[in-house]
Amino acid sequence: MNIGRQNPMAEPSTQTPPLRNRQTEPFTVVVRKAKLKVLSGPDDDKEVIIDGPETSIGTARSNTFVLSDATISRHHAVIQESAGGYLIRDLESTNGTELNNLPVREAYLEFGTTLTLGETLLKFVPFEETLEIFPSADSRWGSIYGQSVQMRSLFAVLDKVAGTGAAIILQGETGTEKARLAESIHHKSRRKDQPFALLDCSAATDNPMESELFGHKKGAFTGAAGDRKGVFENGNNGTVFLDEISELAPGLQLKLLHVLENREVQPVGENRTVPINVRLITAADKSLPQAVKQGRFCKDLFYRLSAVKLDIPPLRDRREDLPLIAGQMVKELCREHNLEKPPQISRKTFEILQSHNWPGNMRELRNVLSRAMVTGTRTSIAPGDLLLGVSAETAATTAAASENLSFRKIEKAAIQKTLEHHRGNKTKAAGTLDITAAALSKKLKKHNIR
């Protein structure tokens, strides 16, 4: 993650340090929040940071923000965190609440708006809080594992922000388990008992992406055989995770911004709008800020999405995590492959795992271990068991040399074992080998396998 203080109005972010030997060294974190400041009235210049699900305002001492203005009720109003934003609600006060000089019972707050309570004028402004945090002592956070300083620093930040309603953007390479991390954040949030809904914005589907996001009405377009809810309705009152957010077309970026501003969606072909209340988590690779600078991604939308910005380190930058991660993955894969006992991973196998560059990160590691468990002895994972796909060719060369076998022989044996495991089903075998059916067909001809 990045380190150093940034322009507070540029890219609000959470910053964590590069890998260091001193495991107790603290690091600074910048989190964007909101602040309510008195502009005029008896409590001139008094302010409060909006932190937590609810901030109460009034003259009673039990309020979060206590004011002395006699024209303000004891329990005058409350600001609630909602859908990544803030809602002010008047508590049937004597003199009412005004937003930008207009009386309101409840309304969503935008940065820069003014509030009038009695004879007190307040302004709602953005605020960046700088926190000093030490790396977590834990090597697990939810379903994510890591003992490196980078990951334990990430865990410490997550401990601070998971329970809030802040919008979070996860930045990292493909395969860094951003979706799994988003779900872990959901399970540690106040919305954990509500739905978790996710959508890959780059995935091609039978429905237009606008429908995937906001739903559609029957007959809205060809193939719309019935009414359908989008990801926001499916995740209402819970958490919505949008992966590959940078892939959204410019028109949909603006519609998504409208949804976040108004807390409502309009299904395709529908006249009505549906109110929504979600915590939004998004994911993208590290090129998204550049896309914002180049005008390919809406700046206002990026600002909305990134109250907290977390950079997920690639696997090659935290190789010391591999033994822990691989061990946990093997345990998870045992259930998938119906194995009672996790196979042992040999020392030479670990050496190969740690020497590989892992361009596909955790996803590639999972595929490699899964193939090894399918085609190996099931009691141990040896170097030769890793060589089960094109993505493992770098490791294949190393392992072949260590076992005095050619890559061709190992590849042939791997294909034969995989076909045997799937009882000759070439489609399933290709999936396990992480190659296309066409690629498998060529390899079958190459090795004269029938």
Side-chain angles (χ1 to χ4, degrees):
M1 296 184 184
N2 301 325
I3 190 165
R5 186 64 185 260
Q6 296 181 333
N7 180 340
M9 295 306 293
E11 280 183 25
S13 65
T14 299
Q15 304 155 345
T16 55
L19 185 62
R20 294 187 175 93
N21 292 327
R22 290 200 297 159
Q23 297 186 4
T24 58
E25 184 176 348
F27 57 97
T28 59
V29 176
V30 179
V31 179
R32 194 178 79 231
K33 296 183 178 181
K35 182 168 64 175
L36 197 59
K37 183 176 182 178
V38 176
L39 297 182
S40 63
D43 302 287
D44 195 21
D45 286 335
K46 190 172 184 178
E47 58 185 38
V48 65
I49 296 172
I50 310 300
D51 190 14
E54 189 169 284
T55 300
S56 56
I57 309 168
T59 57
R61 292 185 178 182
S62 58
N63 287 291
T64 311
F65 194 30
V66 181
L67 299 172
S68 61
D69 184 350
T71 61
I72 291 177
S73 299
R74 286 176 53 78
H75 301 283
H76 195 107
V78 63
I79 295 177
Q80 297 173 320
E81 208 173 54
S82 174
Y86 300 92
L87 175 76
I88 186 162
R89 185 161 53 86
D90 184 83
L91 300 177
E92 298 184 357
S93 63
T94 301
N95 293 313
T97 299
E98 292 184 358
L99 176 67
N100 290 339
N101 298 318
L102 295 174
V104 295
R105 296 298 299 272
E106 66 176 38
Y108 283 101
L109 296 173
E110 299 292 336
F111 290 138
T113 57
T114 59
L115 291 169
T116 304
L117 282 65
E119 296 180 358
T120 296
L121 180 65
L122 307 99
K123 191 170 186 179
F124 186 72
V125 295
F127 170 76
E128 287 195 338
E129 185 175 18
T130 302
L131 305 174
E132 188 175 80
I133 298 179
F134 286 83
S136 171
D138 298 323
S139 57
R140 175 183 178 180
W141 199 87
S143 61
I144 304 296
Y145 292 85
Q147 57 193 4
S148 63
V149 174
Q150 289 156 303
M151 292 305 291
R152 291 189 296 106
S153 297
L154 175 62
F155 296 165
V157 176
L158 288 168
D159 282 337
K160 294 288 185 181
V161 302
T164 73
I168 296 176
I169 187 164
L170 306 174
Q171 293 190 149
E173 296 178 3
T174 298
T176 48
E177 295 193 315
K178 295 186 286 290
R180 177 179 278 216
L181 180 55
E183 190 166 9
S184 291
I185 293 172
H186 169 72
H187 287 308
K188 286 180 175 286
S189 75
R190 296 192 301 271
R191 299 175 184 259
K192 62 184 179 181
D193 296 325
Q194 299 299 326
F196 175 80
L198 71 163
L199 174 65
D200 184 346
C201 297
S202 68
T205 65
D206 295 333
N207 299 307
M209 185 54 65
E210 184 174 358
S211 168
E212 296 292 330
L213 286 165
F214 313 130
H216 66 247
K217 184 180 180 181
K218 178 180 179 180
F221 52 84
T222 303
D227 293 350
R228 183 177 186 274
K229 292 181 179 180
V231 68
F232 280 94
E233 282 193 81
N234 286 330
N236 202 12
N237 297 314
T239 302
V240 167
F241 173 60
L242 300 181
D243 200 2
E244 302 292 351
I245 189 69
S246 58
E247 296 296 318
L248 274 187
L252 287 179
Q253 293 176 26
L254 294 178
K255 288 186 177 182
L256 178 56
L257 179 60
H258 176 84
V259 166
L260 299 181
E261 288 177 340
N262 295 281
R263 281 80 174 181
E264 62 183 21
V265 297
Q266 183 172 9
V268 180
E270 182 65 83
N271 293 324
R272 66 182 177 91
T273 58
V274 181
I276 55 101
N277 182 342
V278 301
R279 200 264 184 90
L280 186 61
I281 303 175
T282 54
D285 61 29
K286 291 189 177 182
S287 66
L288 185 57
Q290 186 65 25
V292 174
K293 291 179 182 178
Q294 295 173 352
R296 293 182 288 108
F297 194 85
C298 177
K299 182 179 180 180
D300 289 342
L301 177 58
F302 179 74
Y303 190 79
R304 282 273 183 180
L305 300 177
S306 55
V308 178
K309 187 179 68 176
L310 300 174
D311 291 336
I312 316 303
L315 192 53
R316 63 180 173 277
D317 289 347
R318 50 186 184 98
R319 297 175 193 265
E320 65 267 49
D321 288 339
L322 269 163
L324 174 63
I325 294 171
Q328 293 298 326
M329 278 189 178
V330 166
K331 291 178 182 178
E332 292 176 10
L333 289 167
C334 276
R335 294 189 290 271
E336 185 177 318
H337 297 305
N338 297 316
L339 296 179
E340 293 183 3
K341 186 177 180 182
Q344 297 296 311
I345 303 177
S346 71
R347 180 181 58 81
K348 285 187 177 180
T349 300
F350 269 126
E351 289 175 359
I352 293 170
L353 292 175
Q354 291 186 305
S355 68
H356 188 54
N357 204 38
W358 300 109
N361 290 293
M362 304 286 281
R363 185 179 301 160
E364 181 185 357
L365 176 62
R366 185 177 294 274
N367 286 340
V368 166
L369 292 175
S370 178
R371 292 192 294 267
M373 292 172 68
V374 166
T375 62
T377 64
R378 306 227 168 178
T379 58
S380 65
I381 297 178
D385 298 327
L386 300 176
L387 316 176
L388 307 179
V390 176
S391 63
E393 283 191 23
T394 301
T397 304
T398 306
S402 69
E403 296 292 325
N404 294 318
L405 295 173
S406 69
F407 176 76
R408 183 183 180 90
K409 288 181 179 178
I410 294 173
E411 183 180 60
K412 180 177 181 179
I415 292 172
Q416 287 174 323
K417 288 181 180 180
T418 305
L419 282 169
E420 181 182 344
H421 174 78
H422 290 296
R423 299 180 181 180
N425 188 314
K426 296 178 183 178
T427 301
K428 290 184 178 180
T432 298
L433 293 167
D434 198 26
I435 58 177
T436 64
L440 177 59
S441 180
K442 289 181 181 179
K443 290 181 182 291
L444 292 177
K445 291 179 181 179
K446 168 185 169 182
H447 296 295
N448 195 27
I449 299 174
R450 298 179 181 178

